Amino acid sequence: MIDNTDLFIFYLRRHLEVLDAEIADILSKIDASDNPEGNGYYDSGEYFMGAGLAAVQKYMTETFYFFDVDQKKALDAGPKLAGGVSFANVVWSAANYWKHDAEWWEGALEAGPQDSDGMSPISISWPIGGKSKSSVAFLEGSGRFGHDYICSIVLAALVNGAEDVRLQLVLPYLESWRADVKQMAVGNF
């Protein structure tokens, strides 16, 4: 049965297909490279995976506004991951990380005392304040801020060891989440 209330899924699927093609190309370059981090392939993969998670976030926003469901309730709905955290909250937080991490650097860098060469060690920590606080809480187990590829780690966890890491593999989670949000809808759909 076709769900005529899902006005936005076509665009999301197409967007994820395009991003997955780019990710597949990057993953093949990683496999062939002697230095994938030095060649920038991990950064490229992180960028496209983050863009995909942000597209999923946009779809989620369109969905809960369409059904007139409170954002917090919508983000708590749907499938639960390890530790009982909802899929929606993890994706939302990873997308926020991808979009806003430059803003999160304030207060996250600390220079230590200079050594004999005049160099100072830099300590990078998770940001602790502002709007990022709830996103950080959901992402703390997904890597080290400023050191790891958070969106890549989140996507790998969501696809649960699938041989082919693709954004489209989150669609079953998203369909389950959407069904829960639809049931919460104020109006009859």
Side-chain angles (χ1 to χ4, degrees), residues 31-53:
D31 288 342
S33 176
D34 291 336
N35 185 5
E37 187 166 24
N39 291 329
Y41 298 139
Y42 291 161
D43 290 324
S44 294
E46 177 76 359
Y47 190 87
F48 286 100
M49 291 176 194
L53 294 173

Side-chain angles (χ1 to χ4, degrees), residues 66-146:
F66 178 82
F67 288 123
D68 195 23
V69 173
D70 175 72
Q71 177 180 326
K72 183 172 177 6
K73 289 179 184 176
L75 295 180
D76 287 336
K80 303 297 184 254
L81 306 173
V85 176
S86 72
F87 154 80
N89 270 312
V90 170
V91 169
W92 192 269
S93 297
N96 282 343
Y97 170 81
W98 182 78
K99 294 183 311 185
H100 299 289
D101 77 319
E103 299 166 34
W104 295 6
W105 286 101
E106 184 177 5
L109 296 175
E110 184 177 314
Q114 289 185 351
D115 62 17
S116 60
D117 294 331
M119 302 296 291
S120 297
I122 302 292
S123 174
I124 303 172
S125 61
W126 274 101
I128 56 172
K131 292 183 177 184
S132 62
K133 199 174 214 174
S134 64
S135 291
V136 168
F138 288 112
L139 295 175
E140 282 182 311
S142 299
R144 297 169 303 148
F145 177 70

